[in-house]
Amino acid sequence: MAATGPSLFVASPLVTSTAGNSVRNRCLSSFRAMAVSEDQKSSPATVATRSTEKGRWLEEKNRKGRKEEEELTSNIYSNPQEITDENGNTLREYFQDCKDLMIQSKAGPPRWFTPLECGSHAPDSPLLLFLPGIDGMGLGLFKHHHKLGKIFEIWCLHIPVTDKTSFTDLVKLVERTVRSEYKRSPDRPIYIVGESLGACIALDIAARNPDVDLVLILANPGDPLRMAFENVAKGLMPHQIVGELTQDLVAMSSYLCVLADMLPRETLLWKLQMLKSASSSANSHLHAVKNQALLLCSGKDQLFPSEEEAQRLYRMLPKCEKRVFEESGHFLFLEDGFDLVTAIKGASFYRQGKYLDYVSDYIPPTPYEFKKIYESNRWVLAVTSPVMLSTLEDGKVVRGLAGIPSEGPVLYVGYHMLLGFELAPLVLQFLMERNILLRGIAHPMMFTRAKEGRMLDLGSFDTYRLMGAVPVSGSNFYKLLSSKSHALLYPGGVREALHRKGEEYKLFWPEQSEFVRMASRFGAKIVPFGVVGEDDVGELVFDYNDQMQIPSLRTFIKELTEEVVHLRIDASGEVSNQDVYLPGVVPKLPGRFYYYFGKPIETKERKEELRNRERAHEVYLHVKTEVEKCIAYLKEKREEDPYRNLMTRLVYQATHGFEAQVPTFEL
């Protein structure tokens, strides 16, 4: 998967009691089901539970190598329309269940709690410390703890309502925990998720402990809720100020009501003062923070200029990435459209060891994550109506992906259309039809930058990473094949995906073999494939050669190219031209995309033979020839397709249903 510009790939709840019980009973029942104090964790019952959970996890891990029939019947991605939302209760339900709890749970010092409704995580999962905002209860965790608990060991800091522990003492409390856990598991990263006050604590902890492997995830960092709290502190109830604070605050009025009930005026004033000192302390220590950090900010924050604050921190923190959620308000963690786990995975921020391993640390998309990606690309599938052909063992060509090998490792090698137009239908269809996740070997520009500039921000490629893309490297290629993955490789890379006028369907492969010997080392099947259709959806009218004739655009291309990691610097010929530019394309009335997967090429019995460079090069040229044959076959056969044009397809779907598969040429 070459990252070449804007892409088509764009982008259990708390337990409640039965009817008739009081809100207070519901609330306390929820509380007991939700959390357990860290002080209670060493009890025999808890140890037994942990052992059971570990056994379940190992049991799940060993359920591999299913037959094709079992794959198809258990495919959780096959019907995206039927996948249900995983967000759980609404905000109003959460607030209603927790209101009495928050008011009554006022006594005692700060302490750690672990949600019990979390999913069973792996034994070596990293620790995640959730540091709450000014409410002290960790409301922001309520919509995320179940999903987070499947990949993290979660501890949430609870600060009782009337507690007046100073900011300095809160930092010391968290620091003791961090040091203790680091000593216990020095090779395991510790994640700190903080919002508002919690973000300030997280930054101070990172500055004071440079030797600890901390990963910071900070939501809307700054002086949170300043406007709202100052009004409440003056004696104004939330419903009196709603009209002044626009839609963001209206949507969260329930939250303010809870805070107004739970925080006496003098307590609120004290917390505001602590928040000011916390912000001042964090700002004074920013220069010492060298940890990996992910800033999550809202594009429609009506209470605080979150984007500006995030940008300031982004410039000051050396290992920082930023994600802006354009449609979200200030209360990011509590919004229905926000998923913390998806944000972490999409930014490639999840790791279990000291260093990120793009293969072993990768977590496949959940069904609901897949559904959202499918829905964002549904129009692509609708207008291009992809036809996918594969080849059975006996050489017969069939419609669909029945000819695709079930068992890995498999290496798919093919042609990269302009701007990677073919990627979305390809990856989505493999998951829906065969429950196979294609791990794209992608250009490093999707993961890192040589320097900041005018390229699309890294967040534009989160969907690729969520769907399993890895940066191209020999070690990642090795790991994919050794783990029996289905890997997707485009030898033509950027040069092919950013081709010039008249170069559609031309391969730009290196002269020397890059993949055959590695594939044979693991006995991988090599599946050559071709794809056509880019010339039926758009016409390239303003290409690289045109733009290089204009001084300002020539400078722009140079700047873009300098921002990305350079590949194939020792290569010769056209493939060595790795310049990055934005093609000018005029859309057409959409035609159709066609994919043809040739007969798999076996390497398992040729491991010794293919160690020889000459023999490996022969196979390399054979694969290239097969890809060219696949392209030629599709270009010829599409002329026979009565439904190549969008209008004829629409007529067919109008009479047969829009979910019906549109026919194509005879095979």
Side-chain angles (χ1 to χ4, degrees):
M1 290 182 183
T4 54
S7 166
L8 296 179
F9 234 156
V10 193
S12 118
L14 299 181
V15 177
T16 56
S17 62
T18 57
N21 289 346
S22 66
V23 172
R24 177 177 181 277
N25 289 337
R26 289 204 314 272
C27 183
L28 293 176
S29 174
S30 300
F31 179 71
R32 294 189 189 105
M34 180 192 74
V36 60
S37 169
E38 285 302 314
D39 295 335
Q40 300 170 356
K41 279 192 154 187
S42 59
S43 67
T46 305
V47 173
T49 301
R50 279 185 168 179
S51 300
T52 302
E53 290 177 353
K54 182 176 180 180
R56 288 174 184 163
W57 180 80
L58 292 173
E59 195 175 311
E60 289 293 327
K61 187 177 181 181
N62 291 328
R63 290 178 185 171
K64 294 183 177 180
R66 296 175 180 173
K67 294 181 180 179
E68 181 177 330
E69 292 79 5
E70 293 174 330
E71 275 182 359
L72 296 176
T73 56
S74 62
N75 187 358
I76 57 177
Y77 304 108
S78 59
N79 294 301
Q81 299 91 336
E82 298 179 6
I83 296 173
T84 57
D85 195 331
E86 59 189 15
N87 283 335
N89 289 0
T90 65
L91 288 180
R92 290 187 179 277
E93 290 171 328
Y94 280 128
F95 292 145
Q96 184 62 40
D97 283 345
C98 296
K99 182 176 179 180
D100 283 5
L101 170 63
M102 295 172 68
I103 294 172
Q104 295 173 35
S105 178
K106 293 183 178 181
R111 62 265 197 184
W112 295 102
F113 282 87
T114 292
L116 289 180
E117 286 191 334
C118 296
S120 177
H121 59 76
D124 53 353
S125 294
L127 174 65
L128 183 147
L129 303 179
F130 188 91
L131 307 182
I134 199 170
D135 62 89
M137 297 295 297
L139 276 175
L141 188 61
F142 279 18
K143 294 181 70 65
H144 307 279
H145 70 274
H146 184 77
K147 196 172 176 183
L148 283 169
K150 295 179 180 179
I151 60 175
F152 290 105
E153 179 182 355
I154 303 177
W155 296 7
C156 178
L157 182 63
H158 169 63
I159 306 173
V161 173
T162 58
D163 179 78
K164 291 190 177 182
T165 301
S166 67
F167 174 75
T168 301
D169 287 339
L170 287 175
V171 170
K172 290 179 180 179
L173 183 153
V174 177
E175 185 176 28
R176 285 196 298 270
T177 300
V178 166
R179 299 301 308 183
S180 173
E181 289 302 307
Y182 171 67
K183 183 177 180 180
R184 187 168 68 90
S185 303
D187 295 325
R188 181 177 74 160
I190 298 176
Y191 284 69
I192 301 182
V193 178
E195 50 178 347
S196 63
L197 176 63
C200 295
I201 297 175
L203 289 168
D204 262 27
I205 295 295
R208 292 161 59 106
N209 297 274
D211 59 316
V212 180
D213 184 11
L214 297 175
V215 180
L216 309 183
I217 300 175
L218 311 178
N220 289 333
D223 294 331
L225 304 179
R226 175 174 49 84
M227 289 173 57
F229 286 142
E230 286 179 355
N231 278 288
V232 175
K234 292 175 184 177
L236 297 176
M237 293 301 292
H239 65 269
Q240 294 175 287
I241 59 173
V242 158
E244 304 173 15
L245 296 182
T246 72
Q247 186 176 356
D248 185 36
L249 200 53
V250 173
M252 297 300 140
S253 58
S254 297
Y255 183 49
L256 292 179
C257 289
V258 172
L259 291 176
D261 286 343
M262 65 176 278
L263 295 177
R265 187 170 182 274
E266 60 276 9
T267 301
L268 181 54
L269 290 172
W270 186 88
K271 286 183 176 286
L272 284 171
Q273 188 61 43
M274 181 177 68
L275 189 58
K276 290 181 181 179
S277 63
S279 179
S280 175
S281 177
N283 280 317
S284 67
H285 295 138
L286 283 178
H287 66 280
V289 178
K290 310 298 181 184
N291 305 77
Q292 188 181 11
L294 177 62
L295 304 179
L296 309 175
C297 62
S298 302
K300 293 185 178 180
D301 190 341
Q302 303 294 334
L303 299 180
F304 185 76
S306 297
E307 279 196 77
E308 291 85 344
E309 177 67 6
Q311 185 61 31
R312 182 182 73 87
L313 293 176
Y314 178 72
R315 291 193 297 265
M316 298 184 69
L317 302 177
K319 297 180 181 179
C320 183
E321 288 192 31
K322 174 171 62 75
R323 295 294 184 269
V324 179
F325 299 87
E326 299 292 349
E327 300 302 315
S328 296
H330 180 81
F331 303 89
L332 184 62
F333 284 167
L334 298 176
E335 296 209 1
D336 288 336
F338 175 76
D339 189 314
L340 181 55
V341 171
T342 302
I344 293 172
K345 290 162 60 177
S348 294
F349 259 63
Y350 183 78
R351 57 185 170 89
Q352 295 181 323
K354 286 184 176 295
Y355 304 100
L356 173 64
D357 186 320
Y358 285 98
V359 177
S360 63
D361 285 329
Y362 174 69
I363 301 172
T366 65
Y368 186 66
E369 288 171 341
F370 174 74
K371 178 181 180 179
K372 293 177 71 174
I373 295 171
Y374 170 82
E375 289 177 343
S376 67
N377 289 278
R378 194 170 185 175
W379 66 274
V380 181
L381 302 176
V383 301
T384 61
S385 187
V387 174
M388 297 200 180
L389 311 176
S390 61
T391 309
L392 302 178
E393 290 185 4
D394 60 4
K396 181 180 180 181
V397 178
V398 296
R399 185 169 186 182
L401 301 175
I404 297 299
S406 298
E407 298 291 329
V410 182
L411 180 62
Y412 303 84
V413 184
Y415 167 71
H416 218 350
M417 287 206 299
L418 185 67
L419 293 173
F421 283 157
E422 80 284 356
L423 282 171
L426 174 62
V427 175
L428 294 174
Q429 191 63 34
F430 262 69
L431 262 179
M432 289 189 294
E433 186 174 337
R434 290 299 309 278
N435 198 17
I436 291 174
L437 181 65
L438 291 181
R439 302 294 306 273
I441 301 173
H443 195 285
M445 73 171 73
M446 294 169 48
F447 303 86
T448 187
R449 293 281 186 271
K451 67 176 185 178
E452 290 296 320
R454 306 173 73 174
M455 275 289 293
L456 291 171
D457 65 77
L458 291 175
S460 303
F461 304 107
D462 281 3
T463 298
Y464 286 97
R465 292 191 288 270
L466 193 63
M467 293 299 290
V470 304
V472 59
S473 73
S475 61
N476 284 336
F477 191 25
Y478 177 95
K479 291 174 183 176
L480 284 174
L481 296 182
S482 65
S483 62
K484 298 186 177 181
S485 299
H486 289 248
L488 176 62
L489 176 67
Y490 292 105
V494 166
R495 180 59 182 85
E496 202 165 272
L498 295 179
H499 60 249
R500 320 326 182 205
K501 286 183 286 190
E503 293 180 348
E504 58 271 10
Y505 310 127
K506 180 180 179 181
L507 301 184
F508 289 90
W509 288 22
E511 294 181 2
Q512 299 300 318
S513 169
E514 292 186 327
F515 57 83
V516 174
R517 296 174 72 198
M518 183 74 81
S520 66
R521 180 172 182 173
F522 296 98
K525 298 179 178 69
I526 301 175
V527 179
F529 74 94
V531 54
V532 303
E534 65 175 85
D535 53 340
D536 273 355
V537 297
E539 180 180 359
L540 178 58
V541 296
F542 194 44
D543 68 0
Y544 174 82
N545 296 327
D546 297 326
Q547 296 180 30
M548 289 296 285
Q549 302 302 314
I550 302 173
S552 60
L553 291 180
R554 184 166 61 246
T555 301
F556 180 65
I557 291 173
K558 181 181 178 181
E559 291 174 351
L560 287 182
T561 304
E562 289 175 348
E563 292 173 28
V564 304
V565 177
H566 293 182
L567 301 175
R568 291 173 172 165
I569 55 178
D570 297 327
S572 59
E574 272 299 309
V575 74
S576 65
N577 185 342
Q578 297 286 301
D579 286 359
V580 178
Y581 85 103
L582 300 179
V585 180
V586 175
K588 293 181 178 180
L589 186 66
R592 202 169 194 183
F593 284 176
Y594 302 86
Y595 301 74
Y596 175 29
F597 297 88
K599 187 175 181 179
I601 299 171
E602 295 281 354
T603 67
K604 189 173 183 179
E605 304 301 328
R606 305 178 64 184
K607 182 177 179 180
E608 294 300 322
E609 174 192 354
L610 294 179
R611 285 184 176 180
N612 181 282
R613 290 185 181 275
E614 291 184 1
R615 294 294 187 188
H617 189 63
E618 290 175 3
V619 174
Y620 176 75
L621 294 178
H622 174 59
V623 174
K624 183 178 181 182
T625 299
E626 289 299 307
V627 172
E628 291 173 331
K629 287 181 179 179
C630 290
I631 294 173
Y633 174 85
L634 292 174
K635 289 174 67 177
E636 177 184 348
K637 295 294 290 184
R638 70 175 176 175
E639 300 295 335
E640 305 172 12
D641 187 359
Y643 299 100
R644 179 179 174 184
N645 183 274
L646 175 63
M647 299 309 298
T648 57
R649 295 199 299 273
L650 290 176
V651 171
Y652 180 89
Q653 290 176 319
T655 56
H656 294 80
F658 284 93
E659 298 298 325
Q661 185 183 65
V662 180
T664 185
F665 50 78
E666 292 187 7
L667 299 176

